[in-house]
Amino acid sequence: MKTIIRNVCIVNEGSRKTADVLIANERIEKIETSIQAIGAGSFNEINGEGLYLLPGMIDDQVHFREPGLTHKGNIFSESRAAVAGGITSYMEMPNTVPNTLTLELLEEKYQIASKNSMANYSFFMGISQNNLEEALKINNEDVCGITDDGLYFNNDKGILANYPDYLEKLFAKSNALVALHSEDDCIIHHNTNELRKIYGEDIPFQFHPAIRSEEACVVATKRILEIAKKHNNRLHLFHISTVAEANLLDNTIPIQEKRITAEACVHHLFFSDKDYEQLGAKIKWNPAIKTQEDRDGLLLALLENKLDIIATDHAPHTVQEKNGSYFKAMSGGPLVQHALPAMLELVHNGSISLEKLIEKTSHHVAEIYRIKERGYIREGYYADLVLLDLNNPWQVTPANTLYKCQWSPFENTCFKSKIIKTFVNGNIVYEDGIIRSDQVGKRLKFSKNR
Ligand SMILES: [Zn+2]
């Protein structure tokens, strides 16, 4: 069955135009003003009038919790939430149980996804104290990269950013993309002890950014940048949360030539420290959500291309795991279903154009990872598409939330934009609030040169 989307406003590569789009054999076959349906009856025709067609979001930082932590979420449940949110491809983190520190464990995740991931997928190889040689064996055309995100470097103490000697070794030897979580653990420990002296175990949540402070981020990011630059190696910085860090990054180089790239996450662009009072643990993330100046400055850094992409850091925990006092409430929260709708609020209030938004959620993700045949609306590319109504308000409720953990930091929020349909490899996988297909996504493929 072929599909034609008629008279839809296609937003792609910095401009928009109204045309018809023909989808056949998983791919975008034709984009033309008026496509003739030859052999009517074998066509599924969709009226796109008044709607927008975007390339699906490619989210390079999610925690889907499988294997080992499946009470929080799994590849099946979270990939469904992702496609409902217009995310058609994702890259997943290694802090599952066991941690993804061998090629064998990495392949096991691909095997699970090949059976039940609704979106396209790639899985990061984890890096830790004892697996450098193993981690370096990944095939760059088949695996998105190496990361320490969510992992402890040295048993239960410290993260990789605190081990410059090891970073040196990693960057000297690696020809893969290395993506890092950048915070300094010593500074965080010091800040924790100081606040504990005052508040004991009940530190108010608004002090989370005082513990996971700007200084902790900047010190670690400067250290990592120095080492990566020395080796001219391919570094990607996850979830930059401060303007001070964004200002360390270069915006004079075209995206295709950057050796160092960085991202902002949805929660850091949407919330600020003013929201801790109302939302408390629900917005406790690492790195912490910081000031309004940081929130607004991160958006500006995206517009100025100091920051290159937008990701979610989707990290579900159960309601129970998010409850309790400061030290008990876990960091992280579910986001994939609401990331695009939340970012589209920024389009509505004039902070970013739709064209620039999808550059950051699709085009440039494809560029920095060198993803093959995705991330753009181009003839011959896979049909990973989102049909969007910019003016169709809806409210986030537990009933329409698809995460396995069944809560959202956006609960009760009213979004102005609604995702009407999501296509993955040409199949409609989500339509009018319903997951429609039992199709599975594909493993992402990458060009060799990073
Ligand atoms: Zn992280």
Side-chain angles (χ1 to χ4, degrees):
M1 180 78 104
K2 295 182 176 188
T3 300
I4 299 178
I5 308 170
R6 297 232 180 256
N7 292 316
V8 72
C9 181
I10 302 164
V11 187
N12 186 53
E13 296 180 69
S15 66
R16 53 183 81 184
K17 68 169 180 188
T18 298
D20 293 355
V21 177
L22 172 63
I23 298 166
N25 303 319
E26 305 183 333
R27 291 171 190 262
I28 299 160
E29 191 168 287
K30 209 188 280 181
I31 304 166
E32 262 173 28
T33 320
S34 182
I35 295 172
Q36 283 222 312
I38 298 159
S42 58
F43 285 85
N44 170 25
E45 298 217 16
I46 295 166
N47 182 5
E49 247 180 275
L51 303 176
Y52 294 83
L53 194 68
L54 320 178
M57 180 170 174
I58 306 172
D59 188 354
D60 82 332
Q61 207 206 153
V62 303
H63 301 260
F64 280 179
R65 308 304 197 192
E66 188 172 359
L69 298 166
T70 50
H71 65 287
K72 298 173 193 275
N74 57 50
I75 289 171
F76 180 76
S77 62
E78 306 313 283
S79 68
R80 290 179 157 230
V83 297
I87 292 169
T88 51
S89 299
Y90 64 85
M91 298 173 220
E92 208 264 354
M93 296 296 119
N95 62 333
T96 40
V97 177
N99 294 164
T100 316
L101 296 174
T102 67
L103 289 178
E104 196 183 340
L105 288 165
L106 182 63
E107 275 315 308
E108 279 174 25
K109 287 172 106 169
Y110 282 101
Q111 285 307 311
I112 299 168
S114 72
K115 294 188 185 83
N116 66 16
S117 174
M118 188 152 269
N120 305 310
Y121 50 86
S122 193
F123 295 90
F124 272 91
M125 173 61 121
I127 184 86
S128 191
Q129 193 171 23
N130 300 314
N131 80 329
L132 181 60
E133 294 305 321
E134 178 82 358
L136 294 175
K137 286 182 199 158
I138 60 163
N139 176 352
N140 280 336
E141 290 172 87
D142 232 17
V143 176
C144 48
I146 297 173
T147 186
D148 72 317
D149 194 74
L151 300 174
Y152 293 102
F153 178 73
N154 177 10
N155 296 318
D156 282 345
K157 287 205 186 96
I159 61 170
L160 180 56
N162 282 83
Y163 294 85
D165 293 349
Y166 196 91
L167 282 171
E168 284 277 358
K169 265 195 262 175
L170 172 60
F171 280 108
K173 289 184 178 175
S174 169
N175 61 5
L177 180 147
V178 176
L180 296 177
H181 179 120
S182 180
E183 283 186 296
D184 186 286
D185 238 33
C186 299
I187 295 172
I188 293 168
H189 263 86
H190 171 81
N191 295 340
T192 306
N193 290 337
E194 292 303 303
L195 279 152
R196 226 186 201 130
K197 281 181 204 161
I198 306 169
Y199 295 102
E201 294 304 296
D202 251 333
I203 298 174
F205 285 100
Q206 70 252 35
F207 289 104
H208 191 48
I211 288 175
R212 294 200 163 247
S213 63
E214 178 189 75
E215 188 197 7
C217 295
V218 172
V219 165
T221 296
K222 280 186 176 166
R223 184 185 302 139
I224 291 167
L225 285 174
E226 197 185 303
I227 296 167
K229 280 179 186 168
K230 191 163 108 189
H231 295 281
N232 191 31
N233 221 327
R234 187 68 191 86
L235 165 70
H236 179 67
L237 292 165
F238 282 142
H239 45 46
I240 293 296
S241 62
T242 67
V243 182
E245 291 168 278
N247 285 335
L248 299 172
L249 299 162
D250 195 337
N251 63 350
T252 63
I253 312 167
I255 187 71
Q256 294 84 356
E257 290 166 29
K258 282 191 179 185
R259 299 298 286 157
I260 294 168
T261 54
E263 75 192 24
C265 282
V266 167
H267 44 294
H268 294 125
L269 294 165
F270 198 89
F271 300 109
S272 77
D273 56 1
K274 300 279 181 281
D275 297 309
Y276 284 110
E277 202 181 323
Q278 208 202 330
L279 293 169
K282 284 184 179 166
I283 59 163
K284 186 189 184 207
W285 257 279
N286 300 338
I289 288 164
K290 297 189 173 67
T291 64
Q292 287 182 330
E293 289 72 37
D294 286 308
R295 181 194 63 193
D296 299 344
L298 291 172
L299 183 64
L300 188 65
L302 281 163
L303 297 175
E304 293 176 340
N305 299 323
K306 288 175 182 166
L307 297 176
D308 304 293
I309 61 171
I310 298 172
T312 67
D313 193 10
H314 172 86
H317 296 291
T318 64
V319 171
Q320 205 163 18
E321 289 169 331
K322 291 294 278 182
N323 274 341
S325 61
Y326 179 79
F327 290 103
K328 283 193 184 130
M330 290 185 154
S331 294
L335 280 172
V336 283
Q337 191 183 348
H338 304 112
L340 262 187
M343 292 299 93
L344 287 162
E345 293 297 298
L346 304 181
V347 172
H348 277 283
N349 72 24
S351 304
I352 187 169
S353 69
L354 196 48
E355 288 83 349
K356 192 72 180 174
L357 178 65
I358 61 162
E359 178 188 296
K360 300 298 182 182
T361 53
S362 303
H363 304 332
H364 282 187
V365 192
E367 295 296 340
I368 72 178
Y369 286 90
R370 310 273 192 264
I371 300 170
K372 285 184 176 169
E373 302 173 311
R374 302 187 191 277
Y376 295 91
I377 302 180
R378 289 177 180 163
E379 289 178 358
Y381 271 46
Y382 284 106
D384 294 342
L385 302 166
V386 174
L387 193 62
L388 173 76
D389 191 343
L390 266 183
N391 296 296
N392 192 335
W394 62 288
Q395 194 174 30
V396 178
T397 65
N400 60 29
T401 296
L402 295 174
Y403 312 124
K404 191 171 185 209
C405 65
Q406 286 182 311
W407 68 276
S408 161
F410 292 110
E411 225 155 85
N412 300 319
T413 304
C414 193
F415 289 126
K416 295 185 185 74
S417 315
K418 189 185 248 174
I419 289 155
I420 305 297
K421 295 182 206 295
T422 305
F423 298 78
V424 174
N425 303 313
N427 298 306
I428 297 176
V429 293
Y430 173 80
E431 185 169 38
D432 302 323
I434 293 164
I435 300 285
R436 238 194 59 160
S437 161
D438 54 4
Q439 299 281 337
V440 287
K442 290 177 187 289
R443 185 169 182 158
L444 296 177
K445 297 289 176 186
F446 308 90
S447 301
K448 212 171 193 172
N449 296 324
R450 292 283 168 86

